[in-house]
Amino acid sequence: MNLAAEFSKPTVEYGLISPLLVVFGVATLGVLVEAFVARKARYAVQLALTLAGVAGALVATILVAFHLPPTGNGRGILGVEGAIAVDGPSVFIWGTILSLSLISVLLFGERTLEGGVTAFAGQAAALPGTSAEREASTKGLEHTEVFPLMMFSIGGMMLFPAANDLITMFVGLEILSLPLYLLCGLARRRRLLSQEAALKYFMLGAFSSGFFLYGIALTYGFAGSMSFGDIAEAVSGRIGGSVLLLAGIGLISVGLLFKIGAAPFHSWTPDVYQGAPTAVTAFMAACTKVAAFGALLRLFYVAFGPARWDWTLMIGIVAVLTMLVGCILAITQSDIKRMLAYSSIAHAGFVLVGFVGLHTVAGFAGTEISSLQAVLFYLVTYGFMTIGAFAVVTVVRDAGGEATGLSRWSGLGKESPVLAGVFAFFLLAMAGIPLTSGFTGKWAVFAAAVAGGAWPLVVIAVVLSAVAAFFYARVIVLMFFSEPVGEGPVVTTPSIMTTIVIAVGFAVTVMLGVFPGPVLDLAATAGQFIR
């Protein structure tokens, strides 16, 4: 038997997956920088390398978008022996993740707020309160490893929604998650709280990954294949129900719903958002949710699409529960980061409302918004206003660092009316007030859900949006109409990097509220997932 004659070289479309290659290449180069570049020069080299890498990947993504080959139901190709789907939605999600990551890098690199060092621990291995930690702080040490960790996580976020089989999707999930577990425990201040957040995130994340793997095994047992296309064929050809399929869908859903922070898998979100460095919280809140929703869309649209009547009710119940938990529990919060965490949970519920109507509309007249288009647009709006809001949180400080207690924000409008006004605008956008991107995003997903027949969910979502507006308005009243407590809040002047992040978040939130057409058209141009 001639084994050499039977071996066929795998085909890798390097051009189409070039954004992934750029990100992972720069991440690997960042590890080498840590090994060979002098400590004093590492920050500047790593920051420049990371910015160049993310920007280069974004340019490569734009070039890929212009060269996607047309297919029967969209544009794109199943590359790397069918493991990665490079299609319109993938490229749109890549562009969104990279755009959000580009401004997140600036938050990671901010040094002015901490007196010349970043917000990350000087020596993560040193126990909090020990002489080793104090010595690292005195010397002004900082962990520049956060930049390659961030790049590896970005690479995982890009691979996750583009995966075309269950194994590749699991690999993407782990690549994006493992660096985040580390980053959450690297806060320079409140070290114990940060380490607790990292441990909770790791333990619950590992638990959800176990569910995901068990679901993969059951789905493989049903379909006999890991490929989404083969799974869809097996689902279409089934006669009656299948315990393996339904159990597989349920268990895989646990892993994905955990990543988007949907109830009842949300318990990690407020603790991790509060304990992690705020730059990491902003990056994680925006980019991870975009990647996880992209993966959820692809899996349920491509692989489990023919079984839509089996999972629509489940997702609908999760959407209602998520909105209830996010909107109700946010009212009771006394910490601004925990309030924004519950806000992100509520937004996950709103996106799921649009997701439920994904398959129930067979065609659109051209004037209607498809569910996929609406969800993609909502993710863009949510990402920019969330990063902008967390960037504002980093500059409101007291002697202990960031002043995250809501009582410390009393009278902020008198101390810094411009900053308080910008934060109030972000809160109004999250509440869905007209002329903000939040209103346009909610209108898009609600309209798509109504067109898909999910109007009961829309009614519940509208009612809970009104409830959510209360806790956003409460913070605005606190900033502008309450007297300062003690000496009042202190606004530290940031460097140009954090200023750019706040300005970009504000500008995009305004533009997508007033002129949403170009991004909506871009989401529509992305087309459908290829099979």
PDB file of all heavy atoms in Angstrom, residues 380-396:
ATOM      1  N   VAL A 380     -22.987  46.175  17.159  1.00  0.00           N
ATOM      2  CA  VAL A 380     -22.109  47.325  16.902  1.00  0.00           C
ATOM      3  C   VAL A 380     -22.452  48.471  17.848  1.00  0.00           C
ATOM      4  O   VAL A 380     -21.569  49.063  18.489  1.00  0.00           O
ATOM      5  CB  VAL A 380     -22.222  47.784  15.438  1.00  0.00           C
ATOM      6  CG1 VAL A 380     -21.405  49.056  15.213  1.00  0.00           C
ATOM      7  CG2 VAL A 380     -21.741  46.689  14.489  1.00  0.00           C
ATOM      8  N   THR A 381     -23.732  48.795  17.949  1.00  0.00           N
ATOM      9  CA  THR A 381     -24.146  49.909  18.807  1.00  0.00           C
ATOM     10  C   THR A 381     -23.803  49.637  20.265  1.00  0.00           C
ATOM     11  O   THR A 381     -23.275  50.508  20.967  1.00  0.00           O
ATOM     12  CB  THR A 381     -25.656  50.168  18.681  1.00  0.00           C
ATOM     13  OG1 THR A 381     -26.391  49.030  19.159  1.00  0.00           O
ATOM     14  CG2 THR A 381     -26.053  50.430  17.238  1.00  0.00           C
ATOM     15  N   TYR A 382     -24.073  48.427  20.709  1.00  0.00           N
ATOM     16  CA  TYR A 382     -23.806  48.072  22.111  1.00  0.00           C
ATOM     17  C   TYR A 382     -22.311  48.145  22.421  1.00  0.00           C
ATOM     18  O   TYR A 382     -21.909  48.651  23.477  1.00  0.00           O
ATOM     19  CB  TYR A 382     -24.337  46.668  22.408  1.00  0.00           C
ATOM     20  CG  TYR A 382     -23.845  46.115  23.723  1.00  0.00           C
ATOM     21  CD1 TYR A 382     -24.440  46.499  24.923  1.00  0.00           C
ATOM     22  CD2 TYR A 382     -22.759  45.244  23.783  1.00  0.00           C
ATOM     23  CE1 TYR A 382     -23.970  46.023  26.131  1.00  0.00           C
ATOM     24  CE2 TYR A 382     -22.281  44.765  24.987  1.00  0.00           C
ATOM     25  CZ  TYR A 382     -22.897  45.147  26.163  1.00  0.00           C
ATOM     26  OH  TYR A 382     -22.422  44.683  27.354  1.00  0.00           O
ATOM     27  N   GLY A 383     -21.491  47.652  21.512  1.00  0.00           N
ATOM     28  CA  GLY A 383     -20.052  47.610  21.755  1.00  0.00           C
ATOM     29  C   GLY A 383     -19.449  48.979  21.986  1.00  0.00           C
ATOM     30  O   GLY A 383     -18.707  49.196  22.961  1.00  0.00           O
ATOM     31  N   PHE A 384     -19.765  49.932  21.133  1.00  0.00           N
ATOM     32  CA  PHE A 384     -19.143  51.258  21.249  1.00  0.00           C
ATOM     33  C   PHE A 384     -19.647  52.027  22.460  1.00  0.00           C
ATOM     34  O   PHE A 384     -18.856  52.687  23.148  1.00  0.00           O
ATOM     35  CB  PHE A 384     -19.377  52.064  19.964  1.00  0.00           C
ATOM     36  CG  PHE A 384     -18.430  51.697  18.857  1.00  0.00           C
ATOM     37  CD1 PHE A 384     -18.813  50.816  17.859  1.00  0.00           C
ATOM     38  CD2 PHE A 384     -17.146  52.203  18.821  1.00  0.00           C
ATOM     39  CE1 PHE A 384     -17.938  50.459  16.838  1.00  0.00           C
ATOM     40  CE2 PHE A 384     -16.258  51.859  17.815  1.00  0.00           C
ATOM     41  CZ  PHE A 384     -16.663  50.981  16.818  1.00  0.00           C
ATOM     42  N   MET A 385     -20.955  51.945  22.758  1.00  0.00           N
ATOM     43  CA  MET A 385     -21.425  52.712  23.914  1.00  0.00           C
ATOM     44  C   MET A 385     -20.968  52.073  25.224  1.00  0.00           C
ATOM     45  O   MET A 385     -20.735  52.773  26.222  1.00  0.00           O
ATOM     46  CB  MET A 385     -22.942  52.870  23.899  1.00  0.00           C
ATOM     47  CG  MET A 385     -23.772  51.620  24.004  1.00  0.00           C
ATOM     48  SD  MET A 385     -25.526  52.035  23.739  1.00  0.00           S
ATOM     49  CE  MET A 385     -26.265  50.399  23.811  1.00  0.00           C
ATOM     50  N   THR A 386     -20.736  50.769  25.237  1.00  0.00           N
ATOM     51  CA  THR A 386     -20.257  50.107  26.450  1.00  0.00           C
ATOM     52  C   THR A 386     -18.800  50.452  26.733  1.00  0.00           C
ATOM     53  O   THR A 386     -18.434  50.792  27.872  1.00  0.00           O
ATOM     54  CB  THR A 386     -20.422  48.581  26.316  1.00  0.00           C
ATOM     55  OG1 THR A 386     -21.805  48.275  26.172  1.00  0.00           O
ATOM     56  CG2 THR A 386     -19.868  47.865  27.530  1.00  0.00           C
ATOM     57  N   ILE A 387     -17.952  50.381  25.714  1.00  0.00           N
ATOM     58  CA  ILE A 387     -16.547  50.743  25.916  1.00  0.00           C
ATOM     59  C   ILE A 387     -16.434  52.213  26.310  1.00  0.00           C
ATOM     60  O   ILE A 387     -15.636  52.582  27.192  1.00  0.00           O
ATOM     61  CB  ILE A 387     -15.728  50.460  24.640  1.00  0.00           C
ATOM     62  CG1 ILE A 387     -15.578  48.946  24.440  1.00  0.00           C
ATOM     63  CG2 ILE A 387     -14.344  51.097  24.724  1.00  0.00           C
ATOM     64  CD1 ILE A 387     -14.752  48.555  23.231  1.00  0.00           C
ATOM     65  N   GLY A 388     -17.223  53.083  25.694  1.00  0.00           N
ATOM     66  CA  GLY A 388     -17.208  54.496  26.060  1.00  0.00           C
ATOM     67  C   GLY A 388     -17.609  54.719  27.510  1.00  0.00           C
ATOM     68  O   GLY A 388     -16.978  55.513  28.229  1.00  0.00           O
ATOM     69  N   ALA A 389     -18.641  54.002  27.955  1.00  0.00           N
ATOM     70  CA  ALA A 389     -19.104  54.165  29.342  1.00  0.00           C
ATOM     71  C   ALA A 389     -18.057  53.697  30.335  1.00  0.00           C
ATOM     72  O   ALA A 389     -17.786  54.380  31.339  1.00  0.00           O
ATOM     73  CB  ALA A 389     -20.409  53.389  29.542  1.00  0.00           C
ATOM     74  N   PHE A 390     -17.429  52.560  30.089  1.00  0.00           N
ATOM     75  CA  PHE A 390     -16.395  52.074  31.010  1.00  0.00           C
ATOM     76  C   PHE A 390     -15.153  52.971  30.970  1.00  0.00           C
ATOM     77  O   PHE A 390     -14.450  53.101  31.986  1.00  0.00           O
ATOM     78  CB  PHE A 390     -16.024  50.637  30.687  1.00  0.00           C
ATOM     79  CG  PHE A 390     -16.978  49.620  31.270  1.00  0.00           C
ATOM     80  CD1 PHE A 390     -17.814  48.880  30.459  1.00  0.00           C
ATOM     81  CD2 PHE A 390     -17.043  49.424  32.635  1.00  0.00           C
ATOM     82  CE1 PHE A 390     -18.689  47.946  30.994  1.00  0.00           C
ATOM     83  CE2 PHE A 390     -17.915  48.497  33.191  1.00  0.00           C
ATOM     84  CZ  PHE A 390     -18.746  47.756  32.360  1.00  0.00           C
ATOM     85  N   ALA A 391     -14.870  53.586  29.831  1.00  0.00           N
ATOM     86  CA  ALA A 391     -13.753  54.522  29.757  1.00  0.00           C
ATOM     87  C   ALA A 391     -14.002  55.727  30.663  1.00  0.00           C
ATOM     88  O   ALA A 391     -13.073  56.239  31.307  1.00  0.00           O
ATOM     89  CB  ALA A 391     -13.530  54.970  28.317  1.00  0.00           C
ATOM     90  N   VAL A 392     -15.248  56.177  30.734  1.00  0.00           N
ATOM     91  CA  VAL A 392     -15.591  57.275  31.637  1.00  0.00           C
ATOM     92  C   VAL A 392     -15.380  56.847  33.088  1.00  0.00           C
ATOM     93  O   VAL A 392     -14.876  57.627  33.919  1.00  0.00           O
ATOM     94  CB  VAL A 392     -17.055  57.729  31.412  1.00  0.00           C
ATOM     95  CG1 VAL A 392     -17.468  58.732  32.482  1.00  0.00           C
ATOM     96  CG2 VAL A 392     -17.220  58.343  30.030  1.00  0.00           C
ATOM     97  N   VAL A 393     -15.743  55.600  33.408  1.00  0.00           N
ATOM     98  CA  VAL A 393     -15.592  55.101  34.780  1.00  0.00           C
ATOM     99  C   VAL A 393     -14.135  55.166  35.229  1.00  0.00           C
ATOM    100  O   VAL A 393     -13.845  55.438  36.407  1.00  0.00           O
ATOM    101  CB  VAL A 393     -16.131  53.651  34.881  1.00  0.00           C
ATOM    102  CG1 VAL A 393     -15.794  53.037  36.241  1.00  0.00           C
ATOM    103  CG2 VAL A 393     -17.638  53.624  34.649  1.00  0.00           C
ATOM    104  N   THR A 394     -13.195  54.962  34.318  1.00  0.00           N
ATOM    105  CA  THR A 394     -11.779  54.937  34.707  1.00  0.00           C
ATOM    106  C   THR A 394     -11.266  56.287  35.193  1.00  0.00           C
ATOM    107  O   THR A 394     -10.256  56.331  35.914  1.00  0.00           O
ATOM    108  CB  THR A 394     -10.892  54.475  33.522  1.00  0.00           C
ATOM    109  OG1 THR A 394     -10.989  55.416  32.451  1.00  0.00           O
ATOM    110  CG2 THR A 394     -11.304  53.097  33.029  1.00  0.00           C
ATOM    111  N   VAL A 395     -11.910  57.381  34.819  1.00  0.00           N
ATOM    112  CA  VAL A 395     -11.359  58.701  35.159  1.00  0.00           C
ATOM    113  C   VAL A 395     -12.021  59.318  36.385  1.00  0.00           C
ATOM    114  O   VAL A 395     -11.565  60.362  36.867  1.00  0.00           O
ATOM    115  CB  VAL A 395     -11.463  59.675  33.959  1.00  0.00           C
ATOM    116  CG1 VAL A 395     -10.738  59.119  32.759  1.00  0.00           C
ATOM    117  CG2 VAL A 395     -12.909  59.984  33.611  1.00  0.00           C
ATOM    118  N   VAL A 396     -13.092  58.725  36.904  1.00  0.00           N
ATOM    119  CA  VAL A 396     -13.724  59.216  38.138  1.00  0.00           C
ATOM    120  C   VAL A 396     -13.081  58.465  39.296  1.00  0.00           C
ATOM    121  O   VAL A 396     -13.277  57.260  39.459  1.00  0.00           O
ATOM    122  CB  VAL A 396     -15.249  58.991  38.111  1.00  0.00           C
ATOM    123  CG1 VAL A 396     -15.886  59.535  39.398  1.00  0.00           C
ATOM    124  CG2 VAL A 396     -15.862  59.662  36.895  1.00  0.00           C
TER     125      VAL A 396
END
